[in-house]
Amino acid sequence: AEKIRELILFYDGESVSPLAEAYLYAAARAQHMQKLIKPALESGKLVICDRFIDSSFAYQAYARNLGFERVSKINEEALSGIMPDLTVFLDIPPEKSFSRKGGADKHDRLEMENKSFHEAVYNGFKILEKKFPERFVSVDVSGTKYETHAKIIEILTAKGIID
């Protein structure tokens, strides 16, 4: 799964079509699901992913304009009927995010996209927050990493995900 993601993200100056990008991410997700997520869930473990289906919705459905239904359909089999119980969105506008991390990674094709693309991704996550209020939570990350960590722990505890 990670090798597929590396292939998608590696920036060599050549573009990847939005549809091919969506299918490649779904392929990586299917592999990750079958190899790690499903077995972990079946054994009763808590699974935390740093990106999952909502990232595809924000990036491919909204920023790449493929549409929510189309991206849902592409990912349907990859998800094996499993959706996240909770998505924690680290809410920071793109400009502040890039400033905070010292600029874009020059080898990451997505990070090399223009400002309007990153704003569309950010707005896509905000749309998802409204579309799925029962499982989607935005966390203001303008403070320190320790403050952000505390906020996330508080949310996970309040939702009964951790004790």
Side-chain angles (χ1 to χ4, degrees), residues 86-88 137-139 149-162:
L86 179 70
T87 294
V88 176
V137 178
S138 288
V139 175
H149 175 263
K151 289 176 188 177
I152 293 169
I153 295 299
E154 185 179 317
I155 290 165
L156 295 176
T157 304
K159 297 271 187 185
I161 295 172
I162 62 172

Side-chain angles (χ1 to χ4, degrees), residues 8-29:
I8 302 166
L9 292 176
F10 180 73
Y11 183 68
D12 62 359
E14 192 171 320
S15 65
V16 175
S17 82
L19 189 57
E21 182 181 90
Y23 275 106
L24 286 168
Y25 277 117
R29 184 165 295 115

Side-chain angles (χ1 to χ4, degrees), residues 65-78:
N65 295 311
L66 290 179
F68 185 85
E69 293 307 319
R70 189 176 199 184
V71 172
S72 292
K73 185 93 171 118
I74 289 169
N75 281 276
E76 191 173 314
E77 286 188 72

Side-chain angles (χ1 to χ4, degrees), residues 66-117:
L66 290 179
F68 185 85
E69 293 307 319
R70 189 176 199 184
V71 172
S72 292
K73 185 93 171 118
I74 289 169
N75 281 276
E76 191 173 314
E77 286 188 72
L79 291 170
S80 302
I82 298 170
M83 285 294 284
D85 294 323
L86 179 70
T87 294
V88 176
F89 171 55
L90 303 179
D91 191 347
I92 184 169
E95 198 168 292
K96 286 185 180 179
S97 174
F98 282 111
S99 173
R100 185 183 241 182
K101 72 183 276 289
D105 178 348
K106 305 286 186 230
H107 300 290
D108 185 314
R109 191 176 51 76
L110 291 178
E111 287 198 17
M112 295 305 298
E113 288 283 355
N114 63 35
K115 182 180 175 183
S116 65
F117 174 79

Side-chain angles (χ1 to χ4, degrees), residues 4 7 29 51 59 61 74 99 126 141 144 158 161:
I4 295 169
L7 176 70
R29 184 165 295 115
R51 57 197 167 266
Y59 280 83
I74 289 169
S99 173
K126 298 306 257 178
V141 297
T144 68
I161 295 172

